[in-house]
Amino acid sequence: MDELDPDDPRPPFQQVAAVLKAAILTGAYQPGDRLPSYTELASQYGVAVMTAQKAVGVLRDEGLVVSRQGKGSFVRQRTERSVGLRPHVEAIFDSGAVAIDFAGFSGETLHGVISEPLDKVRSGRLQANSLQIRILLPDLSKPVGLPALAPEGVDSPDVRKRAERIVQRSTQGIVETVEELAALGLVESATAQVRTYHSAPLFKLFLLNQTEAFFGFYPVLQHSVAIAGQPVEIFDPMGKDAILFHYAKSEDADSVDTQYVEQAQRWFDSVWNSVAKDVQS
């Protein structure tokens, strides 16, 4: 047992919080690591379970940990690039029912993140009873502001058609793989849908099982692309350069994380069910 300092004037919950915070900041607990349970912390530091719970609450309020319903508290991955999504995506397959909602520009990042887990389902290394993927993208058949020609920033149908080809390549790969898993009987219920709505692509949002959200803004960069075999300067939302912020629902209904996930899901559902239109294959 790690005894607390009896001469420390701080309340026990603050002392426990301080020890855990130091462990996080020094790397003893890495991003994604699960903290000991409230019962384990109480036993380790000789305090009441409620004291341990209050100590973890301090860390949660400081943004150092996130608490997931029924799973415990984890060191927050405060910022991470999209490659860090894959462990979170694979983890939700343990629940049996997998629901992934994505809103963004092209779906390239989603395709990269979901391809390996879907391959593992095909090979039997991951399982899911149900799989639902919803992809919400801007309607590039009409001007939406981005991508655009540089330096004037004017709309270009050719630039939008280039982006549409990228979108089609990414989303078709996802839809076809999910349909294959359903046809093979590897997943009892599996659907992948793509809808578009009239909006400029400004951010990307991933929602996992309505309990976790990853959000990031697209930086807009000027670079050269090939249009009809010729180099053309465009303003382009760059998904690979978007840094994602992670939020996870907890037992605390009033926490910022819980409210963010709920509001992000509410936004997605509202657009999906109102103005978004199915993509015709």
Side-chain angles (χ1 to χ4, degrees):
M1 183 173 68
D2 298 324
E3 295 185 0
L4 300 179
D5 184 356
D7 296 324
D8 193 323
R10 295 175 297 177
F13 80 90
Q14 290 186 356
Q15 293 186 54
V16 175
V19 173
L20 294 174
K21 180 177 181 179
I24 292 172
L25 296 180
T26 58
Y29 287 119
Q30 294 290 318
D33 283 351
R34 181 183 179 278
L35 295 183
S37 68
Y38 298 143
T39 301
E40 291 168 337
L41 288 173
S43 176
Q44 181 177 349
Y45 294 103
V47 299
V49 172
M50 288 298 294
T51 300
Q53 186 174 358
K54 195 172 181 180
V56 173
V58 171
L59 301 179
R60 187 167 57 242
D61 291 342
E62 293 185 9
L64 293 173
V65 303
V66 293
S67 298
R68 299 172 186 161
Q69 293 175 331
K71 294 187 177 182
S73 299
F74 298 79
V75 179
R76 176 194 282 277
Q77 302 189 44
R78 294 182 64 84
T79 62
E80 62 179 342
R81 294 191 182 276
S82 51
V83 67
L85 276 169
R86 189 171 291 116
H88 294 267
V89 171
E90 290 195 5
I92 65 174
F93 279 81
D94 293 336
S95 66
V98 177
I100 300 174
D101 292 332
F102 170 77
F105 180 23
S106 67
E108 277 188 298
T109 304
L110 176 63
H111 183 268
V113 166
I114 197 66
S115 292
E116 185 174 338
L118 293 181
D119 285 342
K120 288 183 178 181
V121 172
R122 185 187 290 108
S123 64
R125 289 179 291 163
L126 280 179
Q127 293 183 338
N129 297 324
S130 64
L131 174 61
Q132 179 191 67
I133 299 177
R134 298 189 298 177
I135 304 170
L136 188 60
L137 304 172
D139 181 0
L140 295 172
S141 67
K142 58 188 71 174
V144 288
L146 288 170
L149 290 173
E152 294 85 3
V154 298
D155 176 68
S156 166
D158 289 336
V159 170
R160 283 188 282 108
K161 286 179 181 178
R162 171 186 175 274
E164 281 187 289
R165 289 193 293 271
I166 296 173
V167 169
Q168 189 175 43
R169 192 164 58 237
S170 302
T171 57
Q172 277 192 343
I174 296 171
V175 172
E176 290 173 359
T177 300
V178 171
E179 289 177 345
E180 179 189 15
L181 295 177
L184 292 173
L186 294 173
V187 181
E188 293 178 11
S189 172
T191 60
Q193 297 173 273
V194 183
R195 291 183 179 179
T196 62
Y197 70 118
H198 189 59
S199 176
L202 302 176
F203 62 86
K204 64 170 63 176
L205 171 68
F206 297 83
L207 292 161
L208 309 183
N209 274 12
Q210 299 185 350
T211 59
E212 293 184 83
F214 292 81
F215 177 89
F217 290 104
Y218 287 120
V220 178
L221 302 180
Q222 179 176 337
H223 67 125
S224 179
V225 299
I227 302 292
Q230 298 296 320
V232 176
E233 290 289 317
I234 68 170
F235 289 129
D236 205 7
M238 301 301 289
K240 294 180 180 179
D241 294 328
I243 294 178
L244 299 177
F245 293 87
H246 179 211
Y247 302 84
K249 291 180 70 173
S250 69
E251 297 90 346
D252 183 0
D254 295 325
S255 73
V256 172
D257 278 50
T258 297
Q259 293 185 50
Y260 185 92
V261 174
E262 290 178 348
Q263 291 303 311
Q265 188 70 61
R266 181 180 180 184
W267 173 85
F268 186 97
D269 291 339
S270 69
V271 177
W272 183 268
N273 294 320
S274 58
V275 296
K277 306 297 182 183
D278 287 326
V279 172
Q280 301 299 318
S281 58

